[in-house]
Amino acid sequence: MKKRLGCFHAHHSNIEHIEKALKPYNIELIHFVDPGLDRIKMDSNFTKEVAQKKIKDTLEWISNCHVDAILITCTFFTANIEQDRLSSSIPIIKIDDPLFHSICEKGEPQILVFTNPNTVEGTMNQLINFATKQKKNIHVEPSLLENTFNLVMEGKKEVYIESVSSGLNRLISNHPDRIVSAAQLSMVPAAEIIESKTDTYVGNHLKSLSNYLEELLKLNVYQK
């Protein structure tokens, strides 16, 4: 039987990345896009509690839409999940988990690169907690490519990819002794471009996502 995966995005641009990664599998993807939290996060009355309640309500709504699992592709959403307060009985998969696993398997010093400043603290805290549970000793520092994430929200995809590519390339050049990884799904195209141009490993979410979901959900490769 074909599995159904509910995908929770903050921006529609993430849909193509997930569709590409899971194209070989016999799985139905149902996409839910809510850019609202990113648009109001700078409002004076916006609080962490507001974000957590909205995310919780949406996840519970998606879980009732006949899906076998939920994939959350936004790092702002994953950083504000209160897992113990969710009533859903189906697997809730954070886009960060496969990337965190990959980071924890490497002993070298690393740089985790962000474009969205609102995800840095939450994602780094989750990475540290993940590594602690895995009993891994990691050396990772965050780096923010300032004034780039707004380009995504404004629909300037090509300019965003160019800006992120430039930032990643600069970090690789300045820190040849460190492994560089992109912390957000929207950064995948830029990470792939720079990896190809420099012949240098650049970590990103899609490198291990398909294998991770294949194992977790027991997915079958689609046969034409």
Side-chain angles (χ1 to χ4, degrees):
M1 178 180 289
K2 179 183 288 189
K3 295 290 180 69
R4 297 185 180 93
L5 180 66
C7 303
F8 185 20
H9 312 284
H11 195 270
H12 62 80
S13 61
N14 280 346
I15 293 177
E16 64 178 296
H17 305 312
I18 301 303
E19 296 274 1
K20 177 183 177 181
L22 299 181
K23 185 177 181 180
Y25 299 98
N26 188 25
I27 185 171
E28 180 183 357
L29 304 179
I30 302 98
H31 298 286
F32 300 80
V33 182
D34 185 354
L37 287 175
D38 262 320
R39 292 185 178 279
I40 69 170
K41 64 189 173 213
M42 300 307 294
D43 291 358
S44 59
N45 61 342
F46 182 77
T47 64
K48 183 177 182 179
E49 289 71 28
V50 169
Q52 290 176 339
K53 184 179 187 307
K54 175 59 177 174
I55 293 168
K56 175 178 179 291
D57 291 345
T58 303
L59 289 175
E60 292 181 350
W61 166 252
I62 296 173
S63 69
N64 289 322
C65 293
H66 308 293
V67 296
D68 297 294
I70 299 173
L71 172 65
I72 306 172
T73 68
C74 171
T75 48
F76 180 71
F77 292 169
T78 60
N80 284 280
I81 291 175
E82 293 182 295
Q83 197 90 28
D84 57 340
R85 294 185 60 186
L86 296 174
S87 59
S88 174
S89 60
I90 65 174
I92 295 179
I93 306 149
K94 300 176 181 179
I95 190 68
D96 306 308
D97 287 349
L99 179 63
F100 287 173
H101 180 77
S102 176
I103 289 173
C104 287
E105 291 302 305
K106 296 173 174 59
E108 302 94 323
Q110 302 178 64
I111 299 175
L112 189 55
V113 190
F114 298 80
T115 60
N116 186 346
N118 293 285
T119 68
V120 179
E121 182 178 0
T123 301
M124 290 303 297
N125 288 339
Q126 288 194 81
L127 172 58
I128 292 169
N129 291 336
F130 186 94
T132 300
K133 290 179 180 177
Q134 298 291 321
K135 295 181 170 54
K136 298 288 186 177
N137 185 24
I138 59 174
H139 305 279
V140 183
E141 68 173 88
S143 179
L144 175 66
L145 302 181
E146 296 184 355
N147 303 316
T148 52
F149 189 69
N150 61 296
L151 297 172
V152 169
M153 302 309 293
E154 294 169 3
K156 300 177 180 177
K157 177 182 174 182
E158 298 304 321
V159 180
Y160 175 74
I161 293 174
E162 184 178 337
S163 297
V164 176
S165 298
S166 177
L168 291 174
N169 191 48
R170 183 173 62 254
L171 286 167
I172 290 171
S173 298
N174 293 341
H175 303 280
D177 59 331
R178 302 188 184 186
I179 295 175
V180 173
S181 294
Q184 294 157 224
L185 187 60
S186 62
M187 301 169 68
V188 168
E192 293 177 339
I193 288 170
I194 294 304
E195 183 173 77
S196 176
K197 284 186 175 180
T198 64
D199 198 26
T200 301
Y201 174 90
V202 182
N204 69 73
H205 288 94
L206 296 191
K207 279 184 178 294
S208 53
L209 177 64
S210 56
N211 290 338
Y212 185 88
L213 290 178
E214 179 179 344
E215 182 176 343
L216 180 68
L217 300 178
K218 310 301 181 189
L219 299 179
N220 297 314
V221 176
Y222 180 74
Q223 300 293 333
K224 291 186 178 180

